[in-house]
Amino acid sequence: MTEKDFLPGAYQKMPENGKVTWKAPSNIALVKYWGKRPVQIPANPSISFTLDACATTTSVTFEKKEKNDGFSFDLIFEGKQKADFKPKIQTFLERVEMYLPFLKAYHFTIETSNSFPHSSGIASSASGMAALSLCLMDIEKELNSSMDEALFHAKASYLARLGSGSACRSIKGDLVQWGAHKNIPNSSDLYGMEYPFKVNPVFKSYCDTILLVHKGQKKVSSTVGHQLMHGHPYAENRFEQAFSNLDKLKPILANGDLEEFIKLVESEALTLHAMMMTSMPYFMLMKPDTLEIINKIWEYREATKTPVCFTLDAGANVHLLYPSSDKEKVQIFIKDELAEHCENGQYIHDQVGSGAIKIND
Ligand code: PMV
């Protein structure tokens, strides 16, 4: 599909009002997206596990306006009006208006809440933008009932990408690939899609415990981090490495080769942070406790031969990845050894999920 496929024709009907609700999950990348060109076109392809417990639920109530003049919306976050989130939504609406020409015809009340604590340091932009995009697509489906499922999901992912890049990987599950790659048929820079190759059952129920090392605001945002890949001395090699890691991942995911999975995933996480440390200006998002946790994971893996590994997003938190068959013993290890490195001892047990769902009121 191309951008043109997302431009709708004339709408069949325009209901007076209505309400839609969607719940969209967060995701954690195995091969990382870091570096982009306008607007949210990734410098390299990426792949992620869709999560399950960490999710955003968003309801959009819409009511026909008298005049088609400008965007009109209220934003309610966890029960309270949230004026400081409004500029981000305004920018998003401006960006997607040409693909959703009904936007100025309605007043919207957007009510949103996260399953994880707001101050957890977990970015809610992926799940939040995915949930909002799905609500808007659901409204569009009411205006044009002939839209098929494939277009619905691809366009929801396309819109989510325009809101926040990695949000395009939060529509479907369980493994989502985003970014054009010559060896992955139908892959696109414009939207995420379900990983098209064989995936061993071990990965279908993989666990991810998010160790909340630092819950405060990050010193450097992802937006700034992506920009610093322009003119970065190692950028070209890094982008090539990501393309090649997607090739390498294909047999690993098919065969359930955990030893190779661990090497690739940990190397991706450390490469992401190495890019941050070698940017100009350079910066570091890992904290001393991030490194303590990584060392303990390595020691535990060596001593017990349990296939646990870590990955990192653009922050200090650590995602501990392990097969569900090892859940019991790994969760004891987390409680006894790793919790002490988390802010207020907090962590969240999550696992691979199956994508966003519509909630019927
Ligand atoms: O979607 P953004 O702009 O927040 O960037 C996400 C970047 C990483 O989380 C570090 C990697 C990824 O692929 O999700």
Side-chain angles (χ1 to χ4, degrees), residues 234-245:
Y234 306 129
E236 286 316 311
N237 282 341
R238 159 59 199 154
F239 300 148
E240 268 173 41
Q241 179 196 43
F243 277 90
S244 128
N245 276 347

Side-chain angles (χ1 to χ4, degrees), residues 196-210:
F197 302 128
K198 191 175 154 218
V199 176
N200 188 280
V202 70
F203 296 117
K204 299 274 178 179
S205 60
Y206 229 64
C207 296
D208 176 7
T209 298
I210 306 157

Side-chain angles (χ1 to χ4, degrees), residues 229-293:
M229 288 304 278
H230 292 288
H232 189 294
Y234 306 129
E236 286 316 311
N237 282 341
R238 159 59 199 154
F239 300 148
E240 268 173 41
Q241 179 196 43
F243 277 90
S244 128
N245 276 347
L246 271 160
D247 283 327
K248 288 189 187 146
L249 207 50
K250 189 177 168 186
I252 295 174
L253 291 175
N255 303 333
D257 183 343
L258 296 185
E259 211 172 300
E260 290 304 312
F261 177 80
I262 288 171
K263 279 192 214 158
L264 190 145
V265 166
E266 291 191 344
S267 159
E268 272 288 323
L270 293 179
T271 302
L272 167 71
H273 284 259
M275 291 300 110
M276 300 174 190
M277 290 190 251
T278 49
S279 295
M280 193 53 78
Y282 43 82
F283 62 104
M284 205 187 280
L285 296 181
M286 291 189 285
K287 299 274 180 198
D289 279 312
T290 312
L291 299 183
E292 295 283 356
I293 290 173

Side-chain angles (χ1 to χ4, degrees), residues 29 32-34 164-166 169 222 226 272 313-314:
K32 309 287 181 182
Y33 145 63
W34 197 243
S164 174
S166 60
R169 297 188 314 237
S222 297
H226 285 291
L272 167 71
D313 53 18

Side-chain angles (χ1 to χ4, degrees), residues 27-36 40 44-48 88 123 125-126 160-161 163-169 178 218 221-224 226 238 268 272-273 276 285 312-315:
N27 71 73
I28 182 69
L30 304 173
V31 173
K32 309 287 181 182
Y33 145 63
W34 197 243
K36 63 177 170 183
Q40 323 275 52
N44 63 260
S46 58
I47 185 170
S48 52
K88 198 166 180 195
S125 55
R161 187 198 102 236
S164 174
S166 60
C168 76
R169 297 188 314 237
W178 167 41
K218 292 186 287 197
S221 69
S222 297
T223 311
V224 171
H226 285 291
R238 159 59 199 154
E268 272 288 323
L272 167 71
H273 284 259
M276 300 174 190
L285 296 181
L312 306 165
D313 53 18

